[in-house]
């Protein structure tokens, strides 16, 4: 039996390489025994993950598969409409159950489709990317994009349970893996110095450390989210690295000759915001240096021309998390602790971008 590590907002999160057995047990419980079973996948999780799921479930023969194209471009209302129609045509009713087998796109989209079909049917998440295991698995947010506005439409609604099978990560590409790892580093920096030491020294090439990392990251995100379920304030701790990171992510989207994954942008944002934390918020110089060398070693350095600073600042000013036109930051007060709702003026943000630009040359 895998361990249920947590109750997050009333649902269990199971983790370990035995979790498929627990899922199998759950599906044979009286409340689900009669339920028609649907599974949402994309082409990658259909080939890498669905065979593992099917091999473990006594009811595999009953699974009705819904497949979408992989990628953020599928998180839209047209794909929802197709899925609502398909569910109806395949005989789904209020007691049917949707299994979301995939990364954050499948979890967000499938969760939204399930939450709205016939006023809501139950869903279970089986996240298959590191980002979705450590981040999207907690917090109860489901939704879709509205044209270029990310996560603009959605609701808070929790899955019945989450099953995390770390071995799914074996087929994930290195860039996707590092994108999720950026959120892991964030969790350590904002909340837990000893976890930071673990993450900093872990041999991430060794698959065995991932179960521990996923469990610790979920514990931290869960503590923060449980204290602030509807984003009244404390959840902003999770925004560390994201004020600058989101602007960089959007900038690269606009200039799509180069693509940047979310976590790659957040890694840049974390280093620049660590610098702001050093100037404004007591982060000791030695800790900034530790963060700098670790982030550059693990994530590399992305050249960002000075002439884009102006556009980055415009993008930051339009961020929906700002209040009264001030740029809002979560800043570290030391490794393992942070303060929310800190502000920084434009000149300091420019200085932080310059610090990032020159960080590679520092020793
Ligand atoms: N709800 C939340 O709290 C929350 C939190 C963080 C992110 N998100 C959302 O999650 C999305 C990003 O998630 P993501 O990075 O998981 O993206 P994703 O779902 O697009 O997955 C990334 C890629 O990996 C592939 N893939 C998935 N599992 C695989 C596996 N085991 N082996 C090989 N390939 C695999 C997918 O097909 C896709 O091509 C964004 O839309 C973001 O808004 C939501
Ligand atoms: Zn993020």
């Amino acid at each position: 039996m895998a361990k249920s590590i947590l109750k997050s907002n009333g649902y269990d999160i199971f983790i370990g390489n035995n979790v498929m057995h627990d899922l199998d047990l759950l599906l044979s419980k009286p409340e689900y025994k009669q339920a028609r079973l649907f599974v949402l996948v994309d082409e990658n999780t259909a080939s890498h993950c669905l065979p593992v799921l099917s091999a473990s479930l006594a009811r595999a023969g009953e699974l009705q598969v819904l497949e979408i194209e992989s990628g953020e471009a599928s998180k839209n209302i047209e794909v929802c409409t197709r899925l609502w129609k398909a569910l109806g045509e395949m005989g789904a009713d209020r007691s049917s159950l949707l299994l979301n087998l995939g990364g954050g796109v499948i979890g967000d989209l499938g969760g939204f489709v399930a939450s709205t079909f016939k006023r809501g049917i139950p869903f279970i998440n089986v996240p298959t990317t590191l980002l979705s295991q450590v981040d999207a698995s907690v917090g109860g947010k489901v939704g879709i994009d509205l044209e270029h506005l990310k996560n603009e439409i959605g609701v808070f609604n929790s899955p019945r349970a989450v099953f995390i099978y770390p071995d799914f990560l074996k087929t994930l590409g290195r860039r996707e893996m590092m994108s999720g790892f950026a959120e892991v580093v964030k969790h350590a920096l904002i909340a837990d110095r000893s976890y930071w030491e673990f993450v900093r020294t872990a041999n991430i090439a060794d698959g065995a450390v991932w179960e521990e990392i996923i469990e610790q990251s979920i514990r931290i995100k869960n503590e923060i989210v449980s204290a602030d379920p509807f984003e009244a304030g404390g959840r902003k701790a999770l925004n560390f690295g994201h004020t600058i990171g989101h602007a960089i992510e959007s900038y690269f989207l606009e200039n799509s000759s180069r693509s940047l994954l979310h976590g790659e942008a957040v890694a840049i944002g974390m280093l620049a915001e660590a610098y702001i934390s050093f100037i404004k918020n007591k982060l000791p110089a030695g800790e900034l240096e530790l963060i700098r060398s670790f982030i550059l070693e693990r994530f590399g350095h992305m050249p960002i021309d000075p002439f884009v600073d102006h556009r980055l600042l415009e993008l930051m000013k339009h961020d929906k998390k700002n209040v009264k036109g001030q740029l809002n930051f979560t800043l570290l007060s030391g490794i393992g602790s942070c303060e929310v709702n800190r502000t920084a003026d434009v000149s300091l943000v420019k200085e932080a971008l310059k610090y990032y630009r020159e960080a590679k040359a520092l020793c």
Side-chain angles (χ1 to χ4, degrees), residues 131 135 183 186 242 246 262 266:
L131 186 77
D135 194 349
E183 301 290 350
K186 179 192 76 179
H242 282 63
H246 271 149
H262 175 71
V266 168

Side-chain angles (χ1 to χ4, degrees), residues 6-9 11 13 138-139 217-228:
L6 294 161
K7 271 220 178 297
S8 173
N9 200 20
Y11 63 90
I13 301 176
V138 182
S217 267
I218 289 181
R219 172 184 58 79
I220 290 169
K221 181 162 181 192
N222 193 43
E223 276 166 19
I224 293 171
V225 166
S226 307
D228 180 20

Side-chain angles (χ1 to χ4, degrees), residues 42 44-45 48-49 70-72 75 102-106 108 128-129 131-132 135-136 138 141-142 150-151 168-169 171-173 176 221:
D42 63 28
N44 297 318
T45 61
H48 296 302
C49 309
S70 64
E72 186 73 23
K75 241 175 84 173
V105 166
I106 292 281
D108 279 11
T128 62
T129 62
L131 186 77
S132 58
D135 194 349
V138 182
K141 287 186 188 175
V142 296
K150 269 202 79 176
N151 301 324
F168 278 144
L169 300 179
T171 55
L172 197 63
E176 295 291 351
K221 181 162 181 192

Side-chain angles (χ1 to χ4, degrees), residues 22-93:
D22 298 84
L23 175 56
D24 190 44
L25 287 178
L26 186 79
L27 296 181
S28 62
K29 284 194 171 170
E31 59 182 307
Y32 298 116
K33 220 173 171 168
Q34 303 300 324
R36 280 172 184 263
L37 299 181
F38 295 86
V39 58
L40 180 64
V41 291
D42 63 28
E43 73 281 5
N44 297 318
T45 61
S47 66
H48 296 302
C49 309
L50 189 55
V52 177
L53 181 80
S54 298
S56 321
L57 300 186
R59 297 177 62 191
E62 295 172 42
L63 279 178
Q64 301 197 71
V65 180
L66 300 159
E67 183 172 327
I68 60 158
E69 226 175 273
S70 64
E72 186 73 23
S74 286
K75 241 175 84 173
N76 64 45
I77 194 72
E78 285 81 24
V79 176
C80 284
T81 306
R82 265 187 22 227
L83 291 170
W84 287 318
K85 282 185 181 161
L87 281 169
E89 285 159 10
M90 292 160 101
D93 57 26

